[in-house]
Amino acid sequence: MKNLLLAAGLLALSAFTSPVDQDPNTTTEIPQDNKLVIYQLLPRLFGNKVALNKPYGTVLENGCGKFNDINDLALTKIKEMGVSHVWYTGVLEHATMTSYPQAGLAADDADVVKGRAGSPYAVKDYYDVAPDLAVDKKARMAEFEALVKRTHAHGLKVLMDFIPNHVARSYHSDAKPDGVVDLGAQDDKTKAFAPNNNFYYLPGEHFVVPAGYNPLGPLKGPSEDGKYQEFPAKATGNDVFSATPSVDDWFETIKLNYGVDYKNGRQMHFEPIPDTWKKMRDILIFWTKKDVDGFRCDMAEMVPVEFWAWVIPELKKVKPSLIFIGEAYNPKEYATYFNKGHFDFLYDKVGLYDGLRRLMRQEGNMDDITHVWKVESNGFSSRMLRFLENHDEQRIASKEFAGDPGRAIPAMTVSATLATGPIMLYMGQEVGEPALGSEGFSGEDGRTTIFDYWGVPEHQKWLNQGKMDGGKLSAEQKQLRDFYKRLLTLAGSSEAIRKGQFYELQDANNLSKEYDQRKLYCFLRYTKGQQVLVVVNFSDTKTYRPTLLIPDAVLQRMGLPTQRTYTYRDLLTGGEPQASLRLTLEPLSAMVLEIKPQ
């Protein structure tokens, strides 16, 4: 073993004889301290105490959380998880099959609504909030404003959705400020495309509800008759320029026109500034003046980058600290959306999330992680938002994904500590919510529904009828939640993780018989003031006992003398320091070891 370790050290040292910018185990990127810790929650689901969970159930049957449920106790508990930002998902008023006559709000036609509650991403009024989320429907905006103020009082920042690409077919703003002209109100509907139209049209054609759409299964929805009056028909949200979109399209939404003529080679008409750009800027300013701290921008790549390049600086004139997070899926365009589009952060979905998903399913290899930091996000890893769950993705504990929430432990540790960028946790992830059952429109697919009224069972065990004390959680769930709390608190407070350089140690350890590169991953994060070694085991069956090597040249790189001896203390467990790097790595385990001179 000693000779093997010596050989590994010599092999690794060969990487350190060249300049820093050629070392294959690191990058020249200068880390930025962007360690936001984001907690995503849907108010509709978060505070809901009703456990009936009837498929296609009404708001009265299945219940619905409110802004007011996110009270001081809830915010205290969220803050205790190490969270810095809360993303309130599904706040804007959207199309729904629920009516509130007392507030003058009619139900939408079921033929163009997905789910009894409706999709939060089919916005019906950009200037209003969902009445479902208010106790007093007429005072719904005041209740949201109180939530923003309450969140800030707990030292937390507020994020909300901005959905720029599409709106509900029934879009009509009742709450717009005086002087605001509604989207589409002045469109020339005789033209398929005009630079200042807000929508795209199919002149002379009537919109046709997709054949076979069954809004509420065995039940009947409001105005459901397989028809919806829209003439001329408008293009559908996912760029379908047809009056007859399929049931698999975003047929409940209509595409907004940012000056791109899709039918004529995507010709761009950006001068003068298109009307839609101005309207969307004004909407963003409206919410910014409600003291919102940032926006998660839905499907950011479906809107021309030129719009972002214009609107984000405009908004930062209003509030310089505002942050913009883009939902993005094309790594080849990341640099464009950062450098030209001025986004602060982008989703790291197709890189780190997809790679870690494979590893959690015992399918991938560590090269997936290496490729992310070395190639895909090299140069801007501090600006990539990492996560393992969100409202679009399957639950880790679901049978469709990994079947065991414990598989998140090594993956979430990598997600939170690999770089200095933001990390996100999705409501219920911390207690292993498996998203069992078919809720209605959202079938049994391993996701927690965003379309239906529903209680989230494992989250409700923590909620415990509003006590928020985890009183009904199992011992294993309490341990899991404690892991997330320790990890997120550490990620948000550790100098090395918030600000430090990165160095991968796979090559330095690849000749050790006990170091299985297919299942183990280790790297360093370091500043002058703190050095930590992160090591994880993705195997769900095998315990490894490697003796890890940190070559002398790497110690020097971190500013540590090579002649000293060191102790290693696991910051995740807070145990006693140990005098060597002979480790015991249980299945699905993680360590974050602080390196200190003896």
Side-chain angles (χ1 to χ4, degrees):
M1 173 64 79
K2 186 175 181 181
N3 289 336
L4 280 172
L5 291 175
L6 179 61
L10 291 171
L11 182 70
L13 277 169
S14 67
F16 313 120
T17 57
S18 54
V20 171
D21 61 355
Q22 295 178 21
D23 190 319
N25 300 291
T26 189
T27 73
T28 57
E29 181 178 340
I30 299 171
Q32 306 297 314
D33 182 359
N34 292 328
K35 191 54 74 179
L36 286 57
V37 180
I38 301 169
Y39 188 74
Q40 181 193 4
L41 69 86
L42 278 75
R44 183 200 291 167
L45 301 177
F46 181 85
N48 186 19
K49 306 178 186 71
V50 180
L52 177 64
N53 282 356
K54 175 183 174 182
Y56 298 105
T58 67
V59 67
L60 294 177
E61 292 168 327
N62 281 352
C64 182
K66 310 294 181 191
F67 293 133
N68 290 357
D69 293 325
I70 308 163
N71 55 24
D72 287 313
L73 177 59
L75 292 163
T76 297
K77 296 291 185 179
I78 291 169
K79 178 80 170 177
E80 286 174 355
M81 289 286 287
V83 170
S84 61
H85 292 65
V86 187
W87 168 17
Y88 293 120
T89 306
V91 164
L92 295 173
E93 185 184 1
H94 53 269
T96 176
M97 296 187 208
T98 302
S99 65
Y100 291 105
Q102 70 274 32
L105 298 168
D108 291 283
D109 188 322
D111 292 298
V112 287
V113 181
K114 289 181 177 177
R116 174 81 75 175
S119 168
Y121 294 93
V123 174
K124 186 177 174 180
D125 188 344
Y126 278 123
Y127 287 103
D128 208 349
V129 296
D132 272 338
L133 307 180
V135 175
D136 180 348
K137 310 305 176 190
K138 291 181 179 178
R140 55 192 181 275
M141 185 62 81
E143 291 186 22
F144 174 71
E145 291 167 345
L147 172 60
V148 173
K149 188 174 182 180
R150 197 160 57 243
T151 306
H152 287 156
H154 285 265
L156 295 161
K157 302 284 190 183
V158 173
L159 305 176
M160 67 179 288
D161 290 292
F162 174 54
I163 299 116
N165 176 67
H166 51 269
V167 295
R169 291 208 176 262
S170 59
Y171 187 89
H172 175 72
S173 179
D174 298 316
K176 62 185 182 295
D178 290 343
V180 171
V181 177
D182 217 0
L183 285 165
Q186 297 177 343
D187 281 5
D188 181 350
K189 299 178 183 179
T190 67
K191 294 181 179 177
F193 168 81
N196 277 320
N197 275 359
N198 300 135
F199 300 119
Y200 296 95
Y201 295 93
L202 299 151
E205 296 186 63
H206 290 268
F207 170 73
V208 179
V209 174
Y213 182 50
N214 189 3
L216 291 179
L219 307 173
K220 198 79 167 172
S223 305
E224 181 187 345
D225 59 3
K227 300 173 185 175
Y228 182 74
Q229 183 58 38
E230 180 181 283
F231 182 83
K234 301 182 185 77
T236 291
N238 59 326
D239 297 356
V240 173
F241 287 78
S242 167
T244 58
S246 80
V247 75
D248 296 320
D249 288 318
W250 304 352
F251 66 86
E252 83 284 16
T253 67
I254 46 179
K255 174 86 174 174
L256 281 162
N257 170 14
Y258 282 81
V260 180
D261 188 352
Y262 284 83
K263 292 293 189 73
N264 286 294
R266 295 181 179 245
Q267 290 179 16
M268 295 180 288
H269 301 261
F270 299 156
E271 292 183 10
I273 298 296
D275 184 70
T276 300
W277 291 27
K278 296 173 185 175
K279 283 185 165 65
M280 302 313 271
R281 174 200 59 193
D282 294 346
I283 288 160
L284 286 165
I285 289 172
F286 174 84
W287 292 104
T288 299
K289 289 184 175 178
K290 299 283 185 193
D291 215 11
V292 167
D293 300 294
F295 298 93
R296 177 268 189 190
C297 301
D298 185 68
M299 300 306 296
E301 293 168 306
M302 294 186 78
V303 170
V305 70
E306 290 82 0
F307 165 71
W308 300 114
W310 175 79
V311 82
I312 290 177
E314 287 284 297
L315 264 292
K316 293 201 175 186
K317 292 175 189 174
V318 179
K319 187 173 184 175
S321 63
L322 209 59
I323 65 169
F324 282 82
I325 301 169
E327 180 189 13
Y329 298 107
N330 183 2
K332 293 178 181 177
E333 292 297 326
Y334 289 169
T336 302
Y337 278 80
F338 283 131
N339 300 330
K340 183 176 181 180
H342 301 300
F343 272 96
D344 297 290
F345 307 107
L346 295 176
Y347 269 36
D348 194 347
K349 194 275 178 191
V350 299
L352 192 62
Y353 169 87
D354 282 355
L356 292 173
R357 179 184 169 98
R358 289 189 289 271
L359 289 167
M360 285 187 276
R361 290 166 57 90
Q362 307 295 300
E363 295 169 354
N365 63 67
M366 301 308 147
D367 291 343
D368 289 342
I369 302 175
T370 302
H371 179 75
V372 169
W373 68 257
K374 185 175 281 192
V375 178
E376 199 169 271
S377 64
N378 190 356
F380 40 79
S381 66
S382 301
R383 299 171 70 179
M384 299 304 292
L385 169 64
R386 270 71 192 255
F387 56 86
L388 294 185
E389 286 188 1
N390 63 42
H391 68 278
D392 285 320
E393 307 301 339
Q394 291 173 326
R395 294 287 193 176
I396 297 159
S398 71
K399 61 183 184 294
E400 291 84 1
F401 185 164
D404 173 8
R407 290 175 185 259
I409 290 172
M412 191 69 181
T413 302
V414 171
S415 234
T417 64
L418 189 69
T420 64
I423 180 71
M424 184 167 76
L425 179 71
Y426 183 40
M427 178 199 92
Q429 178 183 343
E430 69 272 32
V431 294
E433 172 58 42
L436 294 174
S438 178
E439 302 99 334
F441 176 82
S442 186
E444 189 155 6
D445 60 1
R447 296 173 178 85
T448 295
T449 181
I450 64 169
F451 304 98
D452 309 278
Y453 298 109
W454 203 249
V456 184
E458 304 310 310
H459 168 72
Q460 287 181 330
K461 292 178 181 178
W462 171 81
L463 189 64
N464 197 14
Q465 291 300 311
K467 296 177 187 173
M468 305 184 196
D469 60 0
K472 296 181 181 178
L473 296 175
S474 67
E476 292 78 12
Q477 285 176 308
K478 289 177 180 177
Q479 289 172 0
L480 183 69
R481 191 174 188 278
D482 184 59
F483 158 75
Y484 278 104
K485 180 178 180 179
R486 286 183 279 112
L487 175 65
L488 295 178
T489 300
L490 174 61
S493 61
S494 160
E495 177 183 303
I497 295 168
R498 288 193 68 101
K499 303 178 182 179
Q501 299 279 349
F502 166 87
Y503 198 94
E504 187 182 84
L505 286 173
Q506 295 293 90
D507 283 351
N509 290 280
N510 71 351
L511 293 183
S512 168
K513 278 166 66 173
E514 271 294 325
Y515 192 85
D516 183 352
Q517 277 200 316
R518 297 166 302 169
K519 297 295 182 183
L520 304 180
Y521 189 73
C522 66
F523 56 93
L524 296 159
R525 297 292 314 285
Y526 62 94
T527 62
K528 287 183 179 179
Q530 187 186 36
Q531 301 81 31
V532 299
L533 166 64
V534 181
V535 56
V536 297
N537 178 11
F538 280 95
S539 173
D540 57 358
T541 58
K542 187 168 181 180
T543 296
Y544 293 94
R545 293 182 173 83
T547 301
L548 294 187
L549 175 71
I550 304 176
D552 283 353
V554 183
L555 289 172
Q556 291 171 351
R557 176 185 289 270
M558 292 193 291
L560 298 176
T562 57
Q563 66 273 22
R564 295 286 297 272
T565 56
Y566 295 93
T567 62
Y568 310 91
R569 178 172 173 266
D570 188 357
L571 299 177
L572 271 179
T573 61
E576 289 297 310
Q578 57 188 68
S580 81
L581 280 176
R582 180 160 177 80
L583 307 176
T584 299
L585 299 169
E586 302 286 346
L588 302 176
S589 65
M591 292 181 176
V592 181
L593 301 167
E594 186 173 34
I595 305 167
K596 291 272 195 180
Q598 234 175 5

